[in-house]
Amino acid sequence: MSALSLTELPARVKIVEMGPRDGLQNEAAVVKTADKVRFIDLLSASGLAAIEATSFVRPSAIPQLDDAEAVMAAIERRPGVTYLALTPNMRGLDRARSAGVRAVAVFTAASESFTKRNINMTIAESLATFATVVRDARRDGMWVRAYVSTAFGCPYEGAVEVDAVVRVASALAEFGVDEISIGDTIGVATPRGVVEVAGALQAHMPVERLAMHFHDTRGTALANVVAALQMQISIFDSSAGGLGGCPYAPGATGNLATEDLLYMLDGMGIETGVSLEGIRAASRYLSGAIGREPVSRAYRALEAAAARA
Ligand code: MG
């Protein structure tokens, strides 16, 4: 009997693909609408159950995502796939509704300075805004996700208290959101912090509603995924190719790459329903469109092996 037993881990994981929104939002290159649509269609074909496709933010605020309506109109919406769009306010929700979006997401943080600089609201103001957005979205039968970023550290304040994460996440849970994604926005988390935060949150909400959004800025993302799995978390955010970078450490790695996550989960015998080859094809396409190789380690290893064969 081995000392390390992995038998208590979830048998199945849901991956929420962040590339088209969180990824492209943080890339310098502005991608043509047709390339985004092709990228999303390739991701859909890989077996992903959830893809964050775009953001209905004011177009001048994030030029990379100023074509939300056009993207939503052109993608092939496969049955069984949830196509999420970020809706920062009621105007965004109205636009999303008109575009036929059935799943929306709201975005706040666990630290005041980040929330102020990122969305120009206090945490309390952001929660007041989202209470209305979530209420109306739910009334329309939409599926709703909420993000709590800077849960493990803030670029302006440093360490973030676990209690601060619990307060914000609990408020969002009370609004009745379907899923809450806890984000390591600057990639500083280590497994110990993941266990602490996941443990504290589980006293306030069902673990089935909790997702983790790790960044690999300091190389700890996959270790954090294993720690979260041990806490029975079974929903993880990742970005095809590792698209996105880290806005707070230019040149550094940001979002955990979907290929790296999949390679590990496949090897651990944890089901995802997602084809690594399919994600690789989507990353290869997008990398051609932005003129940059994906930072995903698994992607690079697979490409290098294929080139030698
Ligand atoms: Mg991210």
Side-chain angles (χ1 to χ4, degrees):
M1 197 66 182
S2 98
L4 177 63
S5 168
L6 295 174
T7 53
E8 301 303 315
L9 303 183
R12 192 173 172 86
V13 153
K14 178 173 99 171
I15 296 177
V16 182
E17 171 60 45
M18 293 284 121
R21 200 281 302 169
D22 185 8
L24 290 183
Q25 173 174 342
N26 294 304
E27 289 287 336
V30 173
V31 178
K32 291 200 292 280
T33 304
D35 286 331
K36 292 178 188 176
V37 170
R38 176 81 181 132
F39 180 44
I40 293 169
D41 286 348
L42 285 167
L43 291 169
S44 295
S46 76
L48 284 160
I51 301 170
E52 195 158 280
T54 188
S55 172
F56 286 88
V57 68
R58 189 163 40 84
S60 60
I62 303 177
Q64 291 94 327
L65 303 179
D66 67 0
D67 55 357
E69 277 86 357
V71 167
M72 290 310 302
I75 57 172
E76 180 197 342
R77 297 195 208 183
R78 292 196 178 220
V81 182
T82 299
Y83 296 94
L84 277 156
L86 210 60
T87 52
N89 48 39
M90 291 302 287
R91 170 91 187 103
L93 180 65
D94 289 342
R95 286 175 56 204
R97 188 189 290 114
S98 302
V101 170
R102 302 301 305 147
V104 295
V106 295
F107 189 103
T108 187
S111 73
E112 286 291 354
S113 346
F114 183 86
T115 312
K116 194 74 195 167
R117 294 204 205 189
N118 194 45
I119 55 177
N120 196 28
M121 289 191 249
T122 64
I123 293 174
E125 286 166 351
S126 76
L127 290 173
T129 300
F130 298 149
T132 316
V133 173
V134 172
R135 183 199 64 205
D136 282 24
R138 281 168 51 83
R139 190 194 54 209
D140 292 351
M142 290 179 177
W143 189 88
V144 184
R145 182 173 226 244
Y147 292 96
V148 180
S149 53
T150 64
F152 300 90
C154 167
Y156 313 113
E157 292 176 25
V160 171
E161 297 289 331
V162 175
D163 284 351
V165 182
V166 170
R167 268 198 307 279
V168 176
S170 300
L172 292 163
E174 274 172 36
F175 299 164
V177 303
D178 296 282
E179 200 168 281
I180 301 181
S181 174
I182 306 296
D184 182 17
T185 313
I186 55 172
V188 290
T190 61
R192 178 174 164 165
V194 171
V195 168
E196 280 172 9
V197 168
L201 288 170
Q202 284 175 41
H204 295 84
M205 61 201 72
V207 70
E208 295 77 22
R209 287 198 191 171
L210 277 176
M212 291 274 165
H213 180 118
F214 292 124
H215 281 201
D216 205 27
T217 314
R218 291 164 183 81
T220 55
L222 286 177
N224 291 337
V225 169
V226 175
L229 287 168
Q230 287 179 330
M231 297 302 288
Q232 301 307 310
I233 305 270
S234 62
I235 309 167
F236 294 96
D237 299 356
S238 61
S239 164
L243 206 59
C246 176
Y248 305 97
T253 305
N255 291 310
L256 168 62
T258 306
E259 291 92 333
D260 298 1
L261 175 62
L262 258 180
Y263 177 82
M264 185 182 82
L265 294 175
D266 285 350
M268 293 169 79
I270 294 174
E271 273 189 52
T272 62
V274 183
S275 149
L276 178 51
E277 277 309 306
I279 298 291
R280 208 176 141 203
S283 287
R284 193 182 296 119
Y285 179 80
L286 202 273
S287 123
I290 65 172
R292 193 164 69 76
E293 278 297 296
V295 296
S296 162
R297 315 267 185 94
Y299 177 93
R300 291 186 170 200
L302 288 163
E303 293 291 306
R308 282 190 63 174

